[in-house]
Amino acid sequence: MKNKFLKYYSAYKLFFASCVVVLVSSCNQANTINTVNTSPSTPKAVAVPQTFSGDSAFVYTKKQVDFGPRIPNSSAHEKCAAWIIEELKQYMDTVIVQEYKSRGYDGKTLSGKNIIGSINPKKGNRILLSSHWDTRPWADQDSVRKNEPIDGANDGASGVGTLIEIARQLAITKPDLGVDIILFDLEDYGQPENSGLPENEDSYCLGTQYWAKNLHVPNYFAKFGILLDMTGAANATFTQEGTSRQYASEIVDKVWKAGTTAGYGQYFLPDKTNPIIDDHYYINGLTSMKVVDIIHYDFNTRSHFWKHWHTHGDTIDKIDPNTLKAVGQTLMQVLYDELANS
Ligand code: AHN
Ligand code: ZN
């Protein structure tokens, strides 16, 4: 009898103690700590700063839109580049601007600028974060004004806005990690659907194609990379896209897990969707670096892209600071997971 009581008593104690552990850990989760546990024998907890601001990322997004469409060879393009460079210089250790000329599908010579900001540029262990900063000169997915440029609030500006806010956060929190923010140019000059020319599928991502063949630093290498594409709309959903899975499935797992750990599982879906051509396709194909694409997937549109993709509906009112926060905070989670486990 006594023995049995003791057994129950210790079980009760154990139960009570585990409740306390659960309570404490969920309490920490709500505040600043998201626990990373890579293997049961070596649990590694990391305090991830929760300070990424969706409002700040929104302001950076709107600022770009306010320049007007950042179409190649235009003055808005030039002015926006100068502004981005100044922002990154405020927050990062080095900023390199890679200037080049590329030929568009239409034969035009386009002046491109890839803007690359780095923290801890000498460190070997590096992570690459990227997006494109140019705007599509046409609205070929729209039914009206197809030959006029779009605002590109989501397609371009949202990813750049998020990454400038990441740069600001890294300047404050100073993780001992190498991080490169690469903002590619000439991504969206891809051949429009109504061009009447034979299909040229390498007409997108000209800035990335240049960079992959002319790295900004000789022998540059990042352990992995994350590309943001249309990551600012309300209730965005990001599926596990095929090119990312083909080249970098373990990075997909890492990033999507981080999204859930950070509390944004409703954005980072487990669904596996078809491969697409985007900046990551050329980095994966032309270098040995593994890059995944976080891109808004819509199950209901014909293109499976965000419903306002390449239309005049891609405007600042569609951008939601909550989505910017979800993506930015997920990136912070990935960076701090890496810090704890490297
Ligand atoms: C193609 O349309 C081939 N790829 C999509 C890349 C893209 C353009 N993402 C945003 N704009
Ligand atoms: Zn686009």
Side-chain angles (χ1 to χ4, degrees):
M1 200 58 188
K2 201 179 167 193
N3 259 346
K4 209 171 177 190
F5 172 75
L6 256 184
K7 220 164 87 189
Y8 282 131
Y9 179 65
S10 8
Y12 171 74
K13 259 205 327 206
L14 199 69
F15 173 71
F16 186 73
S18 8
C19 284
V20 170
V21 168
V22 167
L23 260 173
V24 167
S25 71
S26 58
C27 195
N28 281 339
Q29 288 245 343
N31 291 306
T32 56
I33 296 178
N34 286 323
T35 305
V36 183
N37 195 345
T38 44
S39 88
S41 55
T42 54
K44 286 187 179 154
V46 57
V48 183
Q50 299 294 303
T51 44
F52 181 98
S53 165
D55 292 331
S56 172
F58 181 90
V59 170
Y60 293 136
T61 303
K62 181 170 186 302
K63 177 79 185 184
Q64 295 164 73
V65 174
D66 289 345
F67 282 109
R70 285 78 62 213
I71 64 176
N73 301 351
S74 74
S75 93
H77 184 264
E78 193 66 34
K79 285 180 186 148
C80 187
W83 174 76
I84 293 171
I85 292 163
E86 282 316 302
E87 287 300 312
L88 291 187
K89 278 187 178 166
Q90 272 190 52
Y91 303 125
M92 306 200 79
D93 296 327
T94 59
V95 177
I96 293 174
V97 181
Q98 189 178 48
E99 299 196 37
Y100 51 92
K101 306 257 188 239
S102 295
R103 184 176 294 273
Y105 76 91
D106 54 3
K108 274 200 189 138
T109 300
L110 309 170
S111 297
K113 279 192 173 84
N114 294 335
I115 304 168
I116 302 138
S118 302
I119 64 160
N120 299 321
K122 299 231 161 77
K123 274 195 97 71
N125 185 22
R126 312 201 65 76
I127 297 173
L128 187 171
L129 304 175
S130 78
S131 196
H132 76 89
W133 71 270
D134 61 306
T135 313
R136 186 158 183 80
W138 319 283
D140 49 318
Q141 298 294 324
D142 211 321
S143 51
V144 294
R145 299 189 288 121
K146 279 174 176 287
N147 295 321
E148 293 174 30
I150 62 172
D151 278 3
N154 200 22
D155 193 353
S158 68
V160 174
T162 301
L163 294 180
I164 296 174
E165 173 61 5
I166 287 282
R168 191 178 77 88
Q169 290 297 320
L170 297 181
I172 298 167
T173 60
K174 296 193 181 309
D176 188 24
L177 199 63
V179 180
D180 304 293
I181 292 179
I182 309 196
L183 304 175
F184 291 113
D185 201 355
L186 309 187
E187 189 272 349
D188 234 344
Y189 205 89
Q191 181 183 27
E193 272 190 6
N194 57 354
S195 76
L197 295 169
E199 199 180 320
N200 175 355
E201 64 166 25
D202 288 326
S203 58
Y204 280 94
C205 311
L206 300 177
T208 307
Q209 294 185 56
Y210 180 86
W211 178 81
K213 294 167 189 162
N214 304 273
L215 298 173
H216 66 289
V217 168
N219 303 315
Y220 172 78
F221 183 75
K223 243 171 109 177
F224 65 88
I226 303 173
L227 171 67
L228 305 184
D229 194 355
M230 300 188 277
T231 51
N235 306 311
T237 43
F238 310 120
T239 54
Q240 304 180 357
E241 171 275 331
T243 305
S244 307
R245 286 185 291 110
Q246 183 194 330
Y247 287 97
S249 64
E250 70 281 18
I251 313 300
V252 172
D253 293 345
K254 189 201 292 277
V255 173
W256 262 248
K257 198 169 162 189
T260 302
T261 306
Y264 301 104
Q266 78 269 33
Y267 294 90
F268 289 86
L269 305 185
D271 302 71
K272 294 173 170 39
T273 52
N274 286 335
I276 62 162
I277 293 178
D278 205 345
D279 289 315
H280 70 319
Y281 171 80
Y282 294 98
I283 306 177
N284 283 311
L286 296 171
T287 79
S288 60
M289 293 176 262
K290 295 168 185 289
V291 183
V292 302
D293 197 3
I294 304 179
I295 182 165
H296 189 147
Y297 185 94
D298 190 328
F299 289 92
N300 302 312
T301 58
R302 190 178 62 91
S303 65
H304 291 310
F305 289 133
W306 177 51
K307 67 177 172 197
H308 299 292
W309 174 67
H310 293 180
T311 73
H312 296 295
D314 184 355
T315 47
I316 193 69
D317 55 297
K318 311 299 192 315
I319 301 300
D320 182 352
N322 294 307
T323 306
L324 300 173
K325 166 78 178 174
V327 173
Q329 197 58 54
T330 296
L331 295 184
M332 293 295 283
Q333 183 76 41
V334 172
L335 295 178
Y336 277 78
D337 285 356
E338 194 59 27
L339 186 63
N341 293 292
S342 60

